[in-house]
Amino acid sequence: MTSTRTLHLAAELAPGSAPELALGSAPGSAPGSAPASSASVDARTAAARTVALARLAETAALDFLTHDDSFARPGLDALAVLARVAPETRSVGLVPTVTTTHTEPFHVQAAVATLDWVSRGRAGWRIAVSPTAAEARLLGRRPVPPTAELWQEAGEVAEVSRKLWDSWEDDAEIRDVTTGRFIDRRKLHYVNFQGSTFSVKGPSIVPRPPQGNPVTVVDATRPAARDTAAHHADVALIRASSAEEAAALRAELRQGARAHGRDPGQLRVLLSATVDLDAYEGGPGALAELIAGWFGGGAVDGFHLVPAVPERDLERFTAETVTRLGDRGLFRKAYEGTTLRDHLGLTRPVSQYATDARATTGARA
């Protein structure tokens, strides 16, 4: 199976971002727990820390990096942090968590599109919802709806974002100095979207992103998020305690994508797990064996690693685990493309408003 499939590897940057499933927790420790010192980073040094970690991941040719975020805890805005990282890196994908619950869809899509421009086609966004009453009180706009409704709304935000990204055709900018025309107005389109909680007329204020549509990532661990992931995600993150469980979740997501009229081959399913390489039995080498086994058996398309202590575990993961996978021919040793869609083997989508566009890969020239 590995001869026709590509292994995808990603990692989390934010300190203290531990999913529920931990690989290699020490006896007696809480799954996914990280030392308290890793959860608080001085805002003044956060940018330098994040840039250093991103460059480390880039040397190992990881597909992308996520940066978790939530209204439920204090911290720097993930999208802004990765906008700072973008000019300091050249190849690695950058995927901030963006909540769709208490934000304006028009502003969200414009910010993600801008990140794609700043990074020259390396942006994605990890859609999240804000399900707690405490988060709702921070904004004071509405009581928190049921979780199922939040994920329905998140799907609608994903849908209107694609429409807004497509609302500028690729060649809408003409920049004709002699006539003073910057855009061809015939190639800008209203989207006229009506969702369950919002409406958007469009078009966007940002030209179509280099990737056409930045990569959409959804954590599909909870059942309420699974249909949204199957319908809208380019990358779905799952958590599983066995290869069999992971394979079943992957099959469910691919079947859901097909039911929504999508090509399941354009959906990547990655296992997301906390890794404490000081506690993991067998260390980086054993982790490489686990990744090779789960991927080779078709359980997942790759792994999204959440380092228990980023500065320690990401370095060991990139230097040892990824190197072993590369030596076995399972993972690239250098980037072969320039955009995040290139890394993931995803087609650059045709604008739904263009009449003569063709599907291509990578960024536009």
Side-chain angles (χ1 to χ4, degrees), residues 3-359:
S3 61
T4 58
R5 296 169 59 232
T6 300
L7 174 65
H8 302 288
L9 297 176
E12 171 63 40
L13 286 173
S17 300
E20 295 167 357
L21 177 69
L23 296 179
S25 297
S29 67
S33 63
S37 61
S38 72
S40 57
V41 177
D42 191 318
R44 292 169 296 181
T45 61
R49 166 199 173 275
T50 307
V51 166
L53 290 173
R55 286 173 171 168
L56 181 65
E58 191 168 66
T59 62
L62 297 194
D63 288 62
F64 64 89
L65 296 166
T66 56
H67 194 299
D68 200 16
D69 203 355
S70 171
F71 288 139
R73 61 179 182 271
L76 300 180
D77 180 82
L79 205 152
V81 169
L82 293 187
R84 169 67 178 83
V85 172
E88 303 289 343
T89 53
R90 298 185 61 181
S91 301
V92 70
L94 303 172
V95 182
T97 294
V98 181
T99 181
T100 60
T101 303
H102 302 296
T103 51
E104 290 290 344
F106 187 89
H107 296 159
V108 165
Q109 66 80 28
V112 175
T114 299
L115 180 61
D116 204 44
W117 279 108
V118 171
S119 64
R120 298 184 180 181
R122 294 183 285 124
W125 61 322
R126 179 167 56 182
I127 295 175
V129 300
S130 301
T132 68
E135 291 170 292
R137 286 194 296 270
L138 287 174
L139 282 296
R141 297 176 59 188
R142 59 174 177 171
V144 61
T147 301
E149 293 182 17
L150 293 181
W151 279 108
Q152 177 187 342
E153 179 184 59
E156 292 173 351
V157 174
E159 182 178 352
V160 76
S161 293
R162 286 197 304 272
K163 288 180 178 294
L164 287 164
W165 292 330
D166 288 349
S167 66
W168 288 56
E169 295 186 35
D170 284 322
D171 56 352
E173 294 179 71
I174 52 179
R175 305 190 183 200
D176 190 331
V177 177
T178 58
T179 64
R181 296 174 66 215
F182 176 71
I183 58 173
D184 183 344
R185 295 180 63 87
R186 298 170 300 175
K187 297 189 177 184
L188 268 61
H189 304 276
Y190 294 119
V191 302
N192 294 319
F193 184 87
Q194 181 64 56
S196 57
T197 61
F198 64 89
S199 61
V200 177
K201 182 177 182 180
S204 180
I205 56 174
V206 181
R208 193 166 195 243
Q211 294 183 102
N213 296 172
V215 171
T216 297
V217 180
V218 176
D219 187 333
T221 300
R222 300 189 184 280
R226 217 157 284 160
D227 185 66
T228 301
H231 194 176
H232 300 286
D234 299 302
V235 177
L237 304 179
I238 62 171
R239 298 185 188 115
S241 57
S242 68
E244 293 74 18
E245 182 184 1
L249 287 171
R250 180 175 182 265
E252 178 185 342
L253 287 162
R254 287 170 61 87
Q255 182 178 358
R258 186 178 290 108
H260 283 292
R262 300 183 57 198
D263 175 7
Q266 289 291 294
L267 173 63
R268 307 289 176 255
V269 180
L270 276 59
L271 179 80
S272 185
T274 298
V275 176
D276 184 341
L277 284 173
D278 270 7
Y280 193 78
E281 185 177 354
L287 180 59
E289 290 298 321
L290 183 144
I291 292 172
W294 285 36
F295 171 72
V300 293
D301 300 307
F303 277 67
H304 170 248
L305 283 298
V306 183
V309 181
E311 287 80 358
R312 179 196 70 198
D313 294 316
L314 185 58
E315 181 174 6
R316 294 190 66 188
F317 175 70
T318 55
E320 301 177 56
T321 302
V322 177
T323 297
R324 290 170 187 251
L325 292 169
D327 289 344
R328 294 176 59 171
L330 293 176
F331 191 66
R332 70 173 80 87
K333 293 194 175 184
Y335 291 104
E336 298 171 358
T338 59
T339 73
L340 179 51
R341 285 187 171 274
D342 287 338
H343 305 338
L344 293 167
L346 297 172
T347 301
R348 185 180 190 269
V350 176
S351 169
Q352 56 198 283
Y353 300 106
T355 57
D356 59 349
R358 296 178 181 177

